[in-house]
Amino acid sequence: MAGCLLTVVIWLAATAALFWFGSGAPGETVAAVIGAGVGTCFCVQMATWFMTRSRHRRLSAQYSRLYGPVPQEARVVGTRTGGTVGRLLGGTSGYLIGGIVGAAADIRAEAKKYEHMSDGQRQLLQQIRRISLVSPILTSTFMVGALLMSWVFVVVYEMVRAIVGA
């Protein structure tokens, strides 16, 4: 996923700041650190979203100009064959066998989609499909949860350290 490394770096920096201030920090300080982390995460994810959306539009326009409209069936990756076979066979081994059978069926279905395409067309279509747009709001929500868990970890760490006497 695009922007994931920067999100992890932001989380690590905010967690380090929480450890720096410690569990005795005022609530405003903790809220400021968490807010700054979430705000920075949101800004980075918005920039990533704009860049990936722009690249996706550019590649789609190039594909449309060269080969016509982007095929709808090529936008969906895989099928639900594996899960269906696993449910029919039942049990843990059934899901394993169903997953293998489903993967084989999915690979065959994917290969059939591209049989009539040239190499250049296939490569461009695969580039378009590989682009995944990020969700800045969803990622920022996850960042709130991650930073709250980091804060809990800071509090627990300092309590254990106080009990042990280190």
Side-chain angles (χ1 to χ4, degrees), residues 19-31:
F19 268 102
W20 176 265
F21 290 116
S23 63
E28 296 84 14
T29 304
V30 174

Side-chain angles (χ1 to χ4, degrees), residues 102-115:
D106 290 347
I107 289 170
R108 177 68 183 135
E110 286 292 313
K112 281 186 108 177
K113 289 180 187 177
Y114 302 115
E115 284 178 348

Side-chain angles (χ1 to χ4, degrees), residues 127-142:
Q127 281 182 346
I128 292 170
R129 290 181 55 208
R130 264 188 244 124
I131 296 173
S132 60
L133 296 176
V134 297
S135 173
I137 293 175
L138 182 64
T139 308
S140 298
T141 303
F142 288 147

Side-chain angles (χ1 to χ4, degrees), residues 73-119:
E73 69 273 0
R75 292 185 184 164
V76 178
V77 181
T79 65
R80 297 189 181 266
T81 307
T84 304
V85 171
R87 285 192 180 135
L88 290 175
L89 294 175
T92 306
S93 61
Y95 280 111
L96 179 63
I97 293 168
I100 293 169
V101 170
D106 290 347
I107 289 170
R108 177 68 183 135
E110 286 292 313
K112 281 186 108 177
K113 289 180 187 177
Y114 302 115
E115 284 178 348
H116 65 282
M117 295 182 181
S118 67
D119 286 337

Side-chain angles (χ1 to χ4, degrees), residues 51-62:
M51 289 187 308
T52 55
R53 187 181 71 168
S54 168
R55 183 166 185 255
H56 186 270
R57 284 184 177 172
R58 185 173 29 85
L59 288 174
S60 295
Q62 180 182 359

